[in-house]
Amino acid sequence: MKAIQVIEPFRVEIVDVPKPEITNPDDVIIRVTSGGICGSDIGIYNGTNSLATYPRLIGHEFGGIVESIGSAVTNTAPGDQVAADPVISCGHCYACRIGRHNVCRDLEVMGVHRDGGFAEYVKVPAANIHLYHKKFDESLLGLAEPYTIGVEINQRAQIQADDRVLIMGAGPIGICAMQVAKRNGAKVIMTDLVKERLYKAKEMGADEIVSVSEENLEERLDRFTEGEGIPVIVDTVCIPSSFEQAVKLACPAGRIVCLGLKNQPSSICMADITKKELTIVGSRLNNHCFDEVIAGFEDGSLTPQKLMTKAYNYKDIMDALTMITEHPKDVLKLVLKFN
Ligand SMILES: [Zn+2]
Ligand SMILES: [Zn+2]
């Protein structure tokens, strides 16, 4: 079968590899119909993703149709439309034992630490398979994973109805988190430097948008919260100064979600955290968030069709990568089609 492999940084090829076979009773083989290209795939391509090893069959956002199942699999059957959770954990470390397997000590993500789903077929453990219940557009089956990042963010920040939420950055993660927050009944204000992204965020449901190069964010937040200050901040910008700004902006008893993976320190005053008794949490990957995403796809509150900027045949992966690197402002999510 064909698969997309990053041989080494800046060298991606369509390779011929053996089609996966059932070897364990809980194996599920999926005929992949679509995958989403993520910032971390770009990082593997250009050598800036420190977690990746080479050569690597990439792709952690993928879905498709079940082709065959092992003898012990009961949660799915051939022909089902499914999304696959790329998070693989050990099951017995501290994090796994307390139900936080997405930060497992020996965490592996398909498409990053081990081979992924940008291939005609992929083998996934049955526990990582999640079913679509209604017939869904095949080119969108791979877009559940980015929305699970949004669900995890909402869970980590305990976002609920009537919460006022500031999402810094209107890229794909910010927009997924926003749609999930809206689904939870919150009111969301989003910032970015790029107007096109802000308009897209508004079109997809953000209550308010702020172009931070032109407007005073504090004034806007003041109006947005009737002077109370912002209680929930999601930082998808992930640079040292955005984290510093979040700690300054959060109101007393506020919650801040961090998503950055860079090893750059921020200058944070302890007193800001102590005096306001802030809750600062990390959010990584997803912890059993697929079923909530699929429910959102099926009730129409989450709109992957609007997240998708364009679909490419997987053989045109280089065109897609070029589009993302040369026109980042115009791309929210590019999809690869495998059929
Ligand atoms: Zn991703
Ligand atoms: Zn573990």
Side-chain angles (χ1 to χ4, degrees):
M1 67 163 187
K2 305 280 187 201
I4 297 175
Q5 189 174 53
V6 179
I7 316 283
E8 59 187 24
F10 295 106
R11 201 169 135 221
V12 62
E13 284 176 13
I14 307 294
V15 293
D16 271 303
V17 293
K19 186 178 164 186
E21 287 174 7
I22 304 274
T23 48
N24 287 312
D26 74 331
D27 283 342
V28 174
I29 291 173
I30 303 173
R31 177 171 66 75
V32 177
T33 60
S34 72
I37 303 179
C38 179
S40 61
D41 296 318
I42 304 296
I44 298 173
Y45 171 65
N46 64 22
T48 58
N49 186 324
S50 59
L51 303 171
T53 51
Y54 301 88
R56 176 64 57 232
L57 298 189
I58 56 170
H60 61 271
E61 302 176 3
F62 58 93
I65 307 208
V66 172
E67 173 90 355
S68 55
I69 58 172
S71 57
V73 176
T74 54
N75 61 337
T76 186
D80 285 343
Q81 286 193 318
V82 296
D85 186 344
V87 176
I88 311 272
S89 53
C90 79
H92 48 256
C93 72
Y94 172 73
C96 284
R97 287 201 312 276
I98 65 160
R100 304 269 299 274
H101 77 122
N102 55 314
V103 287
C104 171
R105 192 180 55 188
D106 296 317
L107 176 74
E108 290 199 11
V109 179
M110 293 183 70
V112 183
H113 308 81
R114 59 162 80 183
D115 283 342
F118 287 178
E120 289 180 293
Y121 297 89
V122 63
K123 182 161 73 176
V124 180
N128 291 52
I129 295 286
H130 298 272
L131 255 63
Y132 292 89
H133 311 94
K134 295 180 185 168
K135 187 107 183 84
F136 213 71
D137 183 342
E138 288 192 358
S139 61
L140 300 174
L141 297 179
L143 293 190
E145 199 273 347
Y147 275 99
T148 65
I149 307 296
V151 172
E152 180 73 11
I153 289 167
N154 274 255
Q155 289 183 354
R156 296 288 292 147
Q158 299 179 308
I159 293 171
Q160 41 197 296
D162 299 324
D163 268 337
R164 307 280 156 135
V165 179
L166 164 64
I167 298 180
M168 301 161 84
I173 291 176
I175 287 195
C176 288
M178 175 273 291
Q179 283 204 316
V180 175
K182 291 295 297 172
R183 185 170 192 267
N184 289 334
K187 288 215 161 25
V188 181
I189 185 166
M190 293 187 80
T191 64
D192 207 288
L193 292 165
V194 180
K195 287 224 173 110
E196 292 78 2
R197 291 199 157 191
L198 287 170
Y199 297 145
K200 185 77 185 172
K202 184 99 200 191
E203 181 202 317
M204 289 181 72
D207 295 284
E208 296 194 22
I209 51 175
V210 186
S211 169
V212 277
S213 59
E214 297 173 352
E215 292 179 83
N216 183 313
L217 178 58
E218 278 178 65
E219 275 174 28
R220 288 292 305 276
L221 290 177
D222 225 38
R223 264 184 282 151
F224 184 63
T225 62
E226 286 120 33
E228 198 156 60
I230 192 81
V232 184
I233 302 178
V234 179
D235 176 14
T236 76
V237 177
C238 306
I239 55 176
S241 60
S242 61
F243 184 33
E244 290 159 16
Q245 189 183 22
V247 170
K248 290 280 177 213
L249 289 174
C251 76
R255 289 103 76 192
I256 296 170
V257 182
C258 295
L259 296 148
L261 283 167
K262 293 208 172 76
N263 288 317
Q264 291 171 312
S266 298
S267 294
I268 304 285
C269 280
M270 262 186 269
D272 288 331
I273 300 172
T274 312
K275 283 183 190 163
K276 296 193 278 188
E277 210 174 51
L278 298 180
T279 303
I280 300 176
V281 295
S283 185
R284 186 169 187 198
L285 299 161
N286 87 95
N287 186 1
H288 300 297
C289 300
F290 272 78
D291 291 330
E292 186 174 332
V293 168
I294 291 172
F297 283 12
E298 292 177 349
D299 68 23
S301 57
L302 306 179
T303 57
Q305 67 279 10
K306 289 188 182 165
L307 189 71
M308 179 176 83
T309 308
K310 194 176 171 191
Y312 290 78
N313 184 283
Y314 73 96
K315 290 181 178 158
D316 300 323
I317 176 73
M318 269 320 297
D319 294 345
L321 292 175
T322 305
M323 173 77 183
I324 294 171
T325 36
E326 290 184 3
H327 306 281
K329 293 177 183 179
D330 302 326
V331 175
L332 203 50
K333 180 64 69 183
L334 296 186
V335 164
L336 296 172
K337 297 212 276 190
F338 288 85
N339 45 352

